[in-house]
Amino acid sequence: MSENQLDKKSQAWSALFSEPMSDLVQRYTASVGFDQRLWRADIDGSLAHAEMLAARGIIGTEDFRAIERGMAQIREEIESGRFQWKLELEDVHLNIEARLTQLVGDAGKRLHTGRSRNDQVATDMRLWLRGEIDLIGALLIELQKALLALAEQNVDVILPGFTHLQVAQPVSFGHHMLAYVEMFARDGQRMGEVRQRVNCLPLGAAALAGTSYPLDRERVARTLGMVDAQGRACVCQNSLDAVSDRDFAIEFAAAAALAMVHISRLSEELVLWMSQSFGFIEIADRFCTGSSIMPQKKNPDVPELARGKAGRVAGHLMGLMMLMKGQPLAYNKDNQEDKEPVFDTVDTLKDTLRIFAEMIGGITIKPEAMERAALRGYATATDLADYLVKKGLPFRDAHETVARAVKAAIGQQADLAELPLQTLQAFNPRIEADVLDALTLRGSLDARKVLGGTAPEQVRAQIARHRARLG
Ligand code: ARG
């Protein structure tokens, strides 16, 4: 190993080391291969720190100007792909700092005053994640809008509602879509709540104990937009906690995993509905794939993959919890392992939301097939029971009576509405000609006017509420 290489390998930690790091250890410990995507946050954090150091007279204004100049050039180099990332400089922080020093000399060496990579990396992760949460929030809104549009076009389409995957009661297809709008609305809220706790400043905690330099942490927080709804600076209040906990990342992964679980439920329905046995929908060809052996196949690969990716994101949540579990205070290198799961969670969730928002717009509904399935499943049996209750029969007796009527209808291969009135009256004499209103799918739907129910007028009211909310 030449003098020069040895120098590079040990330059970050002084003269204490008497031999260079082994190549294997260097590769094992380096994170620059994946953490370089934090570069914008790293530069923003450094500039906010340097500005404050200058304002407090800890470094000179000239030094700050030089740091600004150097960072502008580094920004440009990274954006244009000319920046040379070096494995021997371990991570994004040391890479940028080394380049800065190359560009502006001693001013670059002053940047790390009152700071450690421990509070630096925690700050970078929070800044980066905050931006991604905002993008995810916007994508969740796009998806809700797509579902809302599909709901709006299909309020009067009747779908068999299932429990236990057995036909239960008819529901409006629009109502069914709005159930997912509710889920994704809560996912958006959850992301917003996680954001508040992500948006808090670790810088100033230094390595673990705080620093003896008279830093103005609140000033840095304000510069970086780490403020609460009232505009108050949000600063981590305990230095040990600030550098070591990754609960903000875990919370984010939990919210992301839950959103993916919702996606996977929708996926499962789309896959079922597209199968020949259901035949309720078609998904536009551009979202499907064929089979290399069976020429007749059109496979719903996108929802299937999304269902699988939900498992992957839930795995990241578990991984992050196990990463944190059992770590003594304060910072440990274990925490470098937070990056890949968080990055992959963000990438997977964003891609999935984006593709779903598009795919929902490419779904064709087959109302006749849905209606046929609802009729085949005696979806209005509850309505007949409710009809008898309104005529004075106790509900339990009505339930029993209708069960017998359904059995007879199955024997005759007919829907309840198709049985002659006399046949129905044989089950209970209180049944009159007006029973037909209750036995039709539409009559069943219209009756469920309760708040949150599936009656089309209710569904339209809910759509209006969501429209007002989503803009
Ligand atoms: N690359 C490191 C990480 O991701 C940065 C912090 C390193 N701190 C240290 N004391 N080695 O966590």
Side-chain angles (χ1 to χ4, degrees):
M1 174 152 307
S2 74
E3 273 293 294
N4 188 29
Q5 269 171 308
L6 191 144
D7 241 54
K8 262 187 196 161
K9 284 197 175 189
S10 52
Q11 72 182 19
W13 20 84
S14 82
L16 180 67
F17 287 66
S18 52
E19 61 172 1
M21 189 186 272
S22 90
D23 284 346
L24 182 58
V25 173
Q26 184 172 86
R27 258 189 291 123
Y28 193 71
T29 54
S31 54
V32 65
F34 48 86
D35 70 11
Q36 52 179 271
R37 68 193 282 177
L38 294 174
W39 70 268
R40 276 180 209 281
D42 197 69
I43 291 178
D44 290 347
S46 287
L47 287 175
H49 178 68
E51 191 273 341
M52 178 275 297
L53 291 178
R56 279 283 161 112
I58 300 167
I59 62 170
T61 313
E62 280 315 301
D63 287 328
F64 173 53
R65 294 278 165 245
I67 290 170
E68 267 192 322
R69 217 178 331 110
M71 287 301 195
Q73 174 161 346
I74 291 172
R75 201 185 282 274
E76 209 269 310
E77 287 176 4
I78 298 176
E79 266 165 0
S80 64
R82 280 185 293 117
F83 190 89
Q84 280 182 16
W85 298 100
K86 296 187 179 126
L87 190 74
E88 59 269 29
L89 289 172
E90 194 182 321
D91 57 25
V92 61
H93 324 293
L94 295 178
N95 266 273
I96 291 180
E97 194 186 327
R99 178 67 181 140
L100 181 71
T101 301
Q102 231 176 32
L103 290 170
V104 303
D106 281 356
K109 293 190 197 159
R110 294 203 170 94
L111 170 62
H112 214 49
T113 312
R115 186 177 78 166
S116 151
R117 273 188 300 155
N118 297 352
D119 57 347
Q120 188 179 359
V121 70
T123 303
D124 289 7
M125 279 298 276
R126 286 169 180 269
L127 284 176
W128 181 85
L129 190 54
R130 181 183 71 184
E132 295 299 322
I133 288 175
D134 290 342
L135 296 175
I136 288 166
L139 289 170
L140 279 165
I141 287 177
E142 286 312 305
L143 177 55
Q144 289 175 68
K145 283 183 175 169
L147 288 162
L148 197 58
L150 190 62
E152 206 159 22
Q153 292 150 23
N154 296 288
V155 174
D156 296 297
V157 169
I158 297 175
L159 173 80
F162 296 95
T163 59
H164 315 272
L165 205 56
Q166 306 284 316
V167 172
Q169 291 172 357
V171 295
S172 146
F173 186 83
H175 191 56
H176 198 103
M177 289 300 107
L178 291 189
Y180 286 103
V181 173
E182 295 286 341
M183 292 179 230
F184 294 122
R186 287 195 298 277
D187 289 327
Q189 275 172 8
R190 240 185 306 276
M191 284 292 170
E193 286 153 16
V194 171
R195 187 192 194 279
Q196 289 173 22
R197 282 181 291 278
V198 167
N199 199 25
C200 208
L201 182 78
L203 274 182
L208 77 163
T211 173
S212 56
Y213 296 98
L215 304 188
D216 183 349
R217 299 186 65 202
E218 296 188 338
R219 181 184 181 109
V220 177
R222 277 192 297 272
T223 306
L224 293 172
M226 288 177 148
V227 291
D228 65 16
Q230 284 73 45
R232 284 183 302 238
C234 216
V235 172
C236 299
Q237 298 289 315
N238 179 293
S239 60
L240 296 162
D241 176 47
V243 292
S244 66
D245 209 339
R246 295 292 182 266
D247 59 355
F248 68 90
I250 295 175
E251 260 193 89
F252 165 73
L258 206 38
M260 287 299 294
V261 164
H262 290 150
I263 287 274
S264 80
R265 298 189 68 189
L266 177 55
S267 298
E268 173 68 5
E269 299 208 297
L270 297 179
V271 171
L272 283 175
W273 290 350
M274 195 172 140
S275 74
Q276 283 77 7
S277 316
F278 281 77
F280 288 0
I281 60 164
E282 260 175 38
I283 297 177
D285 284 358
R286 61 185 181 282
F287 297 101
C288 297
T289 58
S291 155
S292 53
I293 177 168
M294 298 164 284
Q296 85 283 12
K297 291 294 288 290
K298 199 186 277 182
N299 297 328
D301 280 28
V302 169
E304 288 174 90
L305 252 183
R307 197 173 53 188
K309 285 178 191 288
R312 166 176 169 158
V313 172
H316 290 326
L317 167 61
M318 286 307 127
L320 287 167
M321 288 208 287
M322 292 307 104
L323 169 65
M324 204 70 246
K325 164 192 174 300
Q327 271 195 53
L329 291 178
Y331 177 86
N332 302 284
K333 184 79 166 181
D334 311 40
N335 283 338
Q336 182 164 293
E337 285 290 303
D338 66 351
K339 314 247 160 7
E340 287 156 296
V342 169
F343 293 163
D344 188 68
T345 296
V346 165
D347 293 342
T348 305
L349 181 58
K350 276 167 58 184
D351 283 351
T352 306
L353 292 173
R354 210 172 276 140
I355 203 163
F356 264 64
E358 265 184 54
M359 187 176 63
I360 295 298
I363 287 179
T364 311
I365 305 296
K366 310 260 205 58
E368 310 77 34
M370 293 180 189
E371 208 157 298
R372 232 181 294 124
L375 289 171
R376 221 183 300 130
Y378 300 98
T380 59
T382 316
D383 298 274
L384 180 55
D386 291 342
Y387 172 87
L388 287 168
V389 168
K390 281 172 200 149
K391 299 275 177 178
L393 216 63
F395 183 78
R396 282 291 159 220
D397 294 341
H399 185 280
E400 178 62 28
T401 305
V402 176
R404 280 188 280 116
V406 169
K407 200 169 176 191
I410 292 172
Q412 297 182 25
Q413 293 190 347
D415 181 51
L416 285 175
E418 289 164 356
L419 292 180
L421 187 57
Q422 299 92 301
T423 311
L424 286 171
Q425 281 167 334
F427 292 104
N428 192 302
R430 297 181 213 220
I431 295 177
E432 293 165 77
D434 63 349
V435 73
L436 269 180
D437 295 338
L439 291 185
T440 61
L441 296 175
R442 182 70 204 202
S444 167
L445 226 61
D446 284 341
R448 286 173 169 72
K449 292 190 203 330
V450 67
L451 176 67
T454 195
E457 65 174 71
Q458 254 303 315
V459 176
R460 288 203 171 83
Q462 293 290 343
I463 287 172
R465 182 176 66 80
H466 288 301
R467 277 257 171 266
R469 178 175 66 80
L470 293 168

